[in-house]
Amino acid sequence: MNLNVILAIFRKDLISSVKSKNILIILLTPVFLSILFNSTVSLTDNIVVPIAVYDGGSSTDFVEYLSSTGSYDIIVPGSADKAEELLYTEKVAAMVLVPEGFSTDLENSFTPSLNITVNPYDAKSVVFLQTYKDVIMDFAGQDYPVDISLNNLPSDLQSRVNVPIWVMFSVIFVGMMVLPNTLTTEKEKKTLDAILVSPASVKDVIYGKSFFGLFLAIFISLLIIFINGGFAGNFPVVLFFIVLGSTAFTGLGLLIASHTDNYSSASLLSTICMAPLILPALLADLSREMRYASYLVPSTYVLNGIKGAMLNDSGVSDLYPELGVLVLFNLVVYALASHVLKNRRHI
């Protein structure tokens, strides 16, 4: 192993990455998605939902009350058919048909009916479904049978809760896309042959490019943590799991690069592999079967390790199962990569 050659390959790839649109897109995608997600979540508190309200009788006070809440943009059509047309043409997220005598029945302690139809394909309908019952109860002057104290997490903490997920995604996305990109591109351009006739050995090329992929995965992860205010908890342990995860998925990227001869094939194979690596970790809490499936992918242990250290201030002794699995996975994946490379004439 020639350290000078490895560093030279690393510098060459680093300079080339600045000029490569493909690598820049790979690096910026997780950063952009994390910013977009957090911005979208923060905007949901200020959404005004357009709804069509047709009053079939003399309940103008109810219609005026809906409008006064500030949560809805009320459209009053001339008929129930017109209200339905607005809903089906997606002009509104929900349709409310108020029957004749609705307000009077409430005043007389009766239980009137209210016909509500929601467009499930409109994102704003989610906000309507969360609020309409409270609004109707307030108009009717009714109270819940219990006093509920509802508190939200501070906005900075809400953002921080999502950071481990974005870091896991970055580690997987960058680790499995960068190395296949650089290696297969050099195969296609025949520049890899030129490198191999120099003092650089096959192992030097692998180490140099793996170090490059590892560096980028760690850099993007730290950038996402910085942008989303995630420098919290036991950060040395967070960084340790980022390094372990980046090493593991860079190793998977190396395996993909060794099995493919062009960028299109490598990109397709990486994309196919990422879904089963990401989804079980994200959906582990939905069912027992999904939780068992999540134990089979390394991303689960990366996510749990970062989450435990960042949000619960856990130390290495608290996370030794995750640590052990990731160390074992790294040993296996690099052993496989070495075996594959030894049985191929070219990288």
Side-chain angles (χ1 to χ4, degrees):
M1 183 177 70
N2 190 324
L3 184 59
N4 290 330
V5 172
I6 292 173
L7 292 176
I9 293 172
F10 170 79
R11 286 194 298 269
K12 179 187 72 68
D13 283 345
L14 191 60
I15 294 171
S16 299
S17 68
V18 177
K19 302 177 182 179
S20 172
K21 292 181 180 179
N22 288 334
I23 293 182
L24 285 178
I25 291 173
I26 291 171
L27 297 179
L28 293 177
T29 295
V31 177
F32 173 75
L33 289 176
S34 70
I35 296 173
L36 180 63
F37 179 82
N38 286 332
S39 299
T40 303
V41 170
S42 65
L43 289 174
T44 56
D45 293 335
N46 301 316
I47 289 180
V48 177
V49 184
I51 62 174
V53 182
Y54 173 67
D55 181 13
S58 55
S59 300
T60 54
D61 54 340
F62 176 59
V63 179
E64 291 173 355
Y65 181 79
L66 290 177
S67 181
S68 68
T69 62
S71 300
Y72 311 129
D73 178 16
I74 304 298
I75 299 175
V76 181
S79 65
D81 290 339
K82 182 62 178 177
E84 187 173 336
E85 179 184 338
L86 291 171
L87 182 66
Y88 279 95
T89 55
E90 299 186 348
K91 298 291 194 308
V92 295
M95 172 184 72
V96 180
L97 302 181
V98 185
E100 184 176 357
F102 176 79
S103 297
T104 303
D105 286 345
L106 284 176
E107 291 175 0
N108 294 325
S109 300
F110 296 144
T111 306
S113 299
L114 197 62
N115 191 328
I116 297 176
T117 307
V118 175
N119 178 3
Y121 304 105
D122 192 322
K124 293 182 178 181
S125 65
V126 176
V127 179
F128 175 77
L129 291 172
Q130 291 176 338
T131 58
Y132 81 96
K133 289 185 179 180
D134 290 336
V135 170
I136 293 173
M137 288 189 69
D138 287 341
F139 175 75
Q142 298 178 6
D143 297 321
Y144 281 103
V146 295
D147 291 328
I148 298 175
S149 177
L150 179 62
N151 301 294
N152 292 322
L153 292 174
S155 58
D156 60 331
L157 184 56
Q158 291 182 45
S159 175
R160 198 184 310 154
V161 168
N162 297 316
V163 173
I165 296 175
W166 289 113
V167 172
M168 178 200 70
F169 176 76
S170 302
V171 164
I172 297 173
F173 191 77
V174 177
M176 293 184 63
M177 295 295 287
V178 169
L179 202 60
N181 181 295
T182 57
L183 271 176
T184 54
T185 299
E186 293 208 22
K187 287 181 185 180
E188 291 178 313
K189 293 181 178 180
K190 306 300 182 182
T191 56
L192 189 58
D193 294 332
I195 295 175
L196 291 176
V197 298
S198 70
S201 66
V202 172
K203 286 186 176 180
D204 291 334
V205 174
I206 293 301
Y207 290 147
K209 291 189 175 296
S210 297
F211 181 42
F212 170 66
L214 180 62
F215 168 79
L216 290 182
I218 294 173
F219 174 76
I220 294 300
S221 298
L222 293 177
L223 181 60
I224 287 178
I225 289 175
F226 173 76
I227 291 174
N228 294 280
F231 287 102
N234 193 339
F235 189 73
V237 176
V238 172
L239 183 59
F240 186 52
F241 274 95
I242 290 175
V243 173
L244 275 178
S246 300
T247 305
F249 289 104
T250 299
L252 285 177
L254 175 60
L255 274 176
I256 291 172
S258 66
H259 277 289
T260 52
D261 297 318
N262 56 73
Y263 172 69
S264 298
S265 299
S267 178
L268 177 61
L269 185 57
S270 294
T271 303
I272 292 173
C273 291
M274 278 192 291
L277 287 170
I278 294 174
L279 292 180
L282 295 179
L283 305 178
D285 294 333
L286 293 184
S287 67
R288 182 175 59 183
E289 292 77 12
M290 189 60 71
R291 185 170 66 255
Y292 290 155
S294 70
Y295 296 149
L296 303 176
V297 293
S299 51
T300 300
Y301 304 96
V302 175
L303 178 61
N304 290 344
I306 295 173
K307 186 185 295 184
M310 184 179 293
L311 302 181
N312 301 325
D313 203 22
S314 300
V316 173
S317 59
D318 302 311
L319 300 168
Y320 69 88
E322 288 80 6
L323 174 63
V325 170
L326 287 176
V327 169
L328 179 61
F329 182 82
N330 271 284
L331 293 175
V332 171
V333 76
Y334 280 98
L336 285 174
S338 298
H339 176 73
V340 171
L341 293 172
K342 286 179 181 179
N343 290 277
R344 293 178 66 90
R345 290 183 178 181
H346 301 289
I347 295 177

